[in-house]
Amino acid sequence: MSKHTTRRRFLVAAGLAGTTLLAGCTGSTGGGNGGTMGTATTEEMTTESTTEQSGSTPTDPESAPRATVDRFSEAAGTLMVRTDENGLPGPDEAVDFDGGPFITQGLGPDGEVVRYYNFDVQATTPAPIYALFREGEDTPVEGQLNVIDVIPGDEGYNDFWHVHKVTVPEDYEANTATSLADIEDAGYEMEATDMLVNCPVVPDGSTASMRYGDEDTGLVEGWYQGMVVSYFQFTEAALTLSGDSVPLSPIYVTFNVNPGEDGGGPPSGFVTEDGSDQTHNVVATLPDDSGYSPLWFVNIYDNADFDAVSDLGSATDAEQLASGAANVNCPIVSVE
């Protein structure tokens, strides 16, 4: 089993653990037999299953085309949009998320030193991701890549994915379905779970070497409209829908120039301690807390209060300049 497959299976199986996974069809397709599936009906269903897949052959991800991914285009980015001045990576250029503007050192609710990645603004409406299971099985199809239908820059894209379980026939061959269109055309049953996963789609070869705990830091592969894409996976805490939305947790930040002033807000950068990368950005929750979410509800406090802020209490006591300025995907990867 490849590393990609191992990670993909964990992504789905971890969230569906403890859930009873039922086969797609549990009764007769016709009348008679009191609802009991007779021999003729079983043969008929087997024929139908084979017919559904006739003309379709599996695609080897190793030889499939790859989608071009650009997280920093005007269509994809909000705070991180490529310009001649900032030099953010170009389309399909591998990104080192361990440096530059992509990782921040802040503070926890009790003054802990935390580090988190910066994956830009994300909506609270997740995008669907599709995981395929054969009828009667409670683990994903071996070797099958998960399927998505949007990537950065597409309308409706989100780093946060709402997991949908797709039930396929017992004789389904892995990677026969490589797009949402394939799944829909085949008429496979789809079931929305309450599970969310944080999996930013990135150019192949990108790196983000830090994780909270023993998470795998490598890239996972998936299908997007018949093309292969790569994404990170952050599993520092289990995530579930809050209603129909990604849950939020507060973060308090301050900038070198306050918003509303010339050049103020994000373009001016976070205030840091002298000679250090240490900000006084304070997260309200940590991965082991029940209310934790890596989608942060951003509150901005006056930079005049920077020295006085050392934990959540002092951050909330600081003069607040803006509440809910943005929702940003910043998974915590270190707590000291």
Side-chain angles (χ1 to χ4, degrees):
M1 183 186 303
S2 70
K3 290 176 66 178
H4 287 320
T5 302
T6 301
R7 292 194 294 274
R8 182 199 59 77
R9 288 169 61 88
F10 175 78
L11 182 157
V12 178
L16 298 179
T19 301
T20 301
L21 300 176
L22 302 176
C25 298
T26 56
S28 171
T29 59
N33 295 326
T36 302
M37 192 178 298
T39 302
T41 304
T42 303
E43 291 173 353
E44 180 180 278
M45 289 185 67
T46 301
T47 301
E48 289 175 354
S49 175
T50 303
T51 302
E52 279 183 344
Q53 295 195 62
S54 63
S56 298
T57 57
T59 300
D60 182 359
E62 294 294 328
S63 59
R66 299 194 68 95
T68 297
V69 175
D70 184 1
R71 291 187 65 91
F72 310 119
S73 67
E74 291 185 358
T78 300
L79 299 176
M80 295 183 179
V81 177
R82 184 174 47 255
T83 66
D84 292 338
E85 290 74 26
N86 64 30
L88 289 173
D92 232 21
E93 184 178 340
V95 183
D96 177 7
F97 286 94
D98 290 323
F102 305 117
I103 192 160
T104 299
Q105 184 166 304
L107 298 172
D110 293 323
E112 304 93 336
V113 174
V114 302
R115 290 185 179 181
Y116 55 84
Y117 284 116
N118 302 306
F119 287 109
D120 210 341
V121 172
Q122 302 295 323
T124 56
T125 301
I129 188 170
Y130 302 91
L132 278 61
F133 293 72
R134 291 191 181 95
E135 289 184 8
E137 298 184 4
D138 59 4
T139 56
V141 174
E142 183 77 20
Q144 170 74 45
L145 306 186
N146 289 335
V147 176
I148 62 175
D149 197 45
V150 285
I151 59 174
D154 290 346
E155 184 177 356
Y157 172 79
N158 200 318
D159 288 347
F160 293 91
W161 302 91
H162 181 194
V163 177
H164 288 61
K165 178 196 169 191
V166 179
T167 301
V168 298
E170 293 178 1
D171 60 350
Y172 173 85
E173 294 185 67
N175 298 313
T176 299
T178 64
S179 67
L180 176 58
D182 288 344
I183 293 171
E184 292 176 335
D185 289 347
Y188 297 146
E189 178 185 350
M190 291 183 278
E191 175 189 353
T193 73
D194 65 353
M195 179 186 177
L196 292 171
V197 288
N198 185 7
C199 297
V201 174
V202 296
D204 190 37
S206 296
T207 53
S209 65
M210 298 185 67
R211 293 293 189 280
Y212 183 82
D214 297 327
E215 302 171 60
D216 196 319
T217 63
L219 289 170
V220 183
E221 289 186 336
W223 289 115
Y224 162 75
Q225 299 181 4
M227 296 176 284
V228 174
V229 292
S230 297
Y231 53 86
F232 293 125
Q233 180 175 315
F234 293 91
T235 58
E236 71 274 15
L239 298 175
T240 56
L241 286 170
S242 176
D244 294 326
S245 301
V246 182
L248 298 169
S249 186
I251 187 172
Y252 297 84
V253 306
T254 193
F255 297 101
N256 285 304
V257 180
N258 282 333
E261 300 178 16
D262 188 29
S268 68
F270 296 127
V271 183
T272 60
E273 296 177 3
D274 290 341
S276 168
D277 292 330
Q278 180 68 57
T279 72
H280 290 186
N281 295 353
V282 181
V283 297
T285 56
L286 299 175
D288 293 333
D289 296 338
S290 60
Y292 172 80
S293 173
L295 187 59
W296 299 97
F297 180 85
V298 178
N299 304 289
I300 304 172
Y301 68 86
D302 193 326
N303 58 22
D305 292 327
F306 175 82
D307 289 336
V309 171
S310 59
D311 56 17
L312 182 59
S314 54
T316 57
D317 287 342
E319 182 179 353
Q320 303 298 310
L321 302 180
S323 176
N327 300 322
V328 292
N329 180 17
C330 297
I332 290 177
V333 293
S334 174
V335 178
E336 299 174 5

